[in-house]
C-alpha cells in the first residue's frame, strides 16, 4: 500500500471582480470520487492544506442538480462523511514529497483564491512534476499551476498539454463576467497547451506524469488514470 497526497484548498471564499466574497471551498465530487477509487485500490490518503486548516466544503457541490439527482447527492454526502482524513490535514509546508507515490489536487473555486498564489504549493507541484510521480489536478485546481516557477521565472508546466475548467463552463456557471480572471486564459498566458473538451463532459489529458481533468465529471476518470500510472 502506498500513500497518495491530497492537496486541498484552505479557502472558504473566492474574491470576485467587484470585491465581494463568494462562499466556496473544495468541490465534493472531485474529492470523493478519487478518494473512493484510491481507497478501494488499497492506498492510504493524506490531506494537506495551507496552514493545516480543515478544508471548507463548497455547499453548492451537494446540490442535486450537480450530482445527477438527490440520490447522487446523498451518495456523495455519505462519501464525504467517510472521508475522515479531511478533518485531520497536515500543513502543506511540512509535507515530505518522498513519502508519497502520487499527488492529487481536487478543485472547487477555492484554489482560485489561495493555491493560485501559494508559493509552497507551487514548489511542491514543481518538485512533483520533476520527480516523475503521477500528478493529478482537476477542474479549478490547475489554478495552482500558476504559482509554480523555475529559478529563471518560467512556469515548469509551460509546453505541457493541460485541461481545466474552461471559459465556456465558467460562463455557463454564471461566473465568467463576475470573475477577476478566467482560469483558461491564465493557463494559456502561462504557456500551457490548453486542451478544451465539451462543456461538462469527462475530459482527461495525460502528458508525461501530469494528468489533468476539465471538470467535476472528469474526477473519477482522472483517478482511474492515476491508478494505472501507479500500477
Amino acid at each position: 500500500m502506498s500513500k497518495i497526497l491530497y492537496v486541498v484548498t484552505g479557502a472558504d471564499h473566492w474574491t470576485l471582480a467587484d470585491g465581494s466574497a463568494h462562499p466556496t471551498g473544495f468541490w465534493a465530487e472531485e474529492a470523493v470520487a478519487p478518494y473512493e477509487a484510491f481507497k478501494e485500490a488499497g492506498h492510504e490518503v493524506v490531506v494537506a492544506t495551507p496552514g493545516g486548516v480543515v478544508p471548507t466544503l463548497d455547499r453548492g457541490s451537494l446540490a442535486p442538480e450537480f450530482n445527477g439527482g438527490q440520490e447522487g447527492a446523498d451518495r456523495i454526502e455519505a462519501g464525504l462523511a467517510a472521508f475522515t482524513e479531511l478533518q485531520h490535514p497536515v500543513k502543506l509546508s511540512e509535507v515530505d514529497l518522498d513519502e508519497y507515490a502520487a499527488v492529487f489536487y481536487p478543485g472547487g473555486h477555492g484554489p482560485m483564491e489561495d493555491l493560485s498564489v501559494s508559493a509552497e504549493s507551487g514548489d511542491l507541484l514543481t518538485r512533483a512534476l520533476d520527480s516523475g510521480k503521477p500528478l493529478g489536478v482537476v477542474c479549478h485546481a490547475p489554478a495552482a499551476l500558476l504559482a509554480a516557477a523555475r529559478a529563471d521565472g518560467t512556469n515548469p508546466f509551460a509546453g505541457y498539454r493541460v485541461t481545466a475548467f474552461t471559459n465556456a463552463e465558467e460562463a455557463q456557471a454564471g461566473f465568467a463576467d463576475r470573475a477577476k480572471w478566467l482560469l483558461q486564459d491564465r493557463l494559456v498566458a502561462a504557456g500551457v497547451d490548453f486542451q478544451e473538451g465539451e462543456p461538462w463532459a469527462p475530459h482527461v489529458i495525460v502528458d508525461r506524469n501530469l494528468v489533468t481533468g476539465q471538470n467535476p465529471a472528469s474526477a473519477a476518470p482522472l483517478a482511474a488514470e492515476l491508478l494505472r500510472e501507479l500500477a
Side-chain angles (χ1 to χ4, degrees):
M1 181 176 72
S2 57
K3 288 202 292 186
I4 296 175
L5 179 68
Y6 251 65
V7 180
V8 183
T9 177
D12 62 4
H13 70 280
W14 175 33
T15 305
L16 300 176
D18 65 0
S20 64
H22 170 67
T24 187
F26 70 90
W27 196 260
E29 181 181 4
E30 296 168 30
V32 170
Y35 174 79
E36 291 176 342
F38 298 152
K39 295 291 281 189
E40 186 176 339
H43 298 291
E44 180 183 348
V45 168
V46 175
V47 172
T49 62
V53 300
V54 174
T56 298
L57 169 69
D58 187 322
R59 300 299 304 180
S61 65
L62 292 179
E65 59 265 33
F66 295 130
N67 293 284
Q70 188 61 52
E71 184 177 339
D74 291 345
R75 191 189 67 77
I76 291 293
E77 190 161 15
L80 275 175
F83 192 167
T84 55
E85 292 90 343
L86 285 168
Q87 303 306 313
H88 308 282
V90 300
K91 292 181 180 179
L92 186 56
S93 60
E94 296 178 358
V95 166
D96 181 356
L97 186 61
D98 291 340
E99 295 181 2
Y100 299 93
V103 178
F104 174 68
Y105 278 63
H109 277 117
M112 300 281 281
E113 185 74 20
D114 63 350
L115 298 182
S116 65
V117 293
S118 169
E120 62 187 17
S121 171
D123 178 62
L124 177 74
L125 283 165
T126 302
R127 288 185 287 118
L129 187 71
D130 292 346
S131 74
K133 299 174 190 284
L135 171 60
V137 194
V138 69
C139 200
H140 284 94
L145 308 187
L146 301 172
R150 300 282 187 202
D152 63 2
T154 59
N155 191 296
F157 295 92
Y160 275 76
R161 296 169 63 245
V162 170
T163 192
F165 204 68
T166 64
N167 290 355
E169 288 166 322
E170 204 71 86
Q172 291 175 24
F175 287 104
D177 59 353
R178 300 170 62 194
K180 287 183 177 180
W181 48 271
L182 296 177
L183 180 54
Q184 180 176 347
D185 292 346
R186 281 284 180 92
L187 288 170
V188 170
V192 309
D193 180 5
F194 195 90
Q195 305 285 308
E196 181 173 359
E198 289 297 315
W200 312 108
H203 184 57
V204 174
I205 295 295
V206 182
D207 189 343
R208 288 154 278 186
N209 61 314
L210 177 65
V211 185
T212 51
Q214 181 172 313
N215 45 38
S218 305
L222 186 153
E225 183 59 43
L226 281 186
L227 288 172
R228 279 192 288 272
E229 302 272 337
L230 282 170

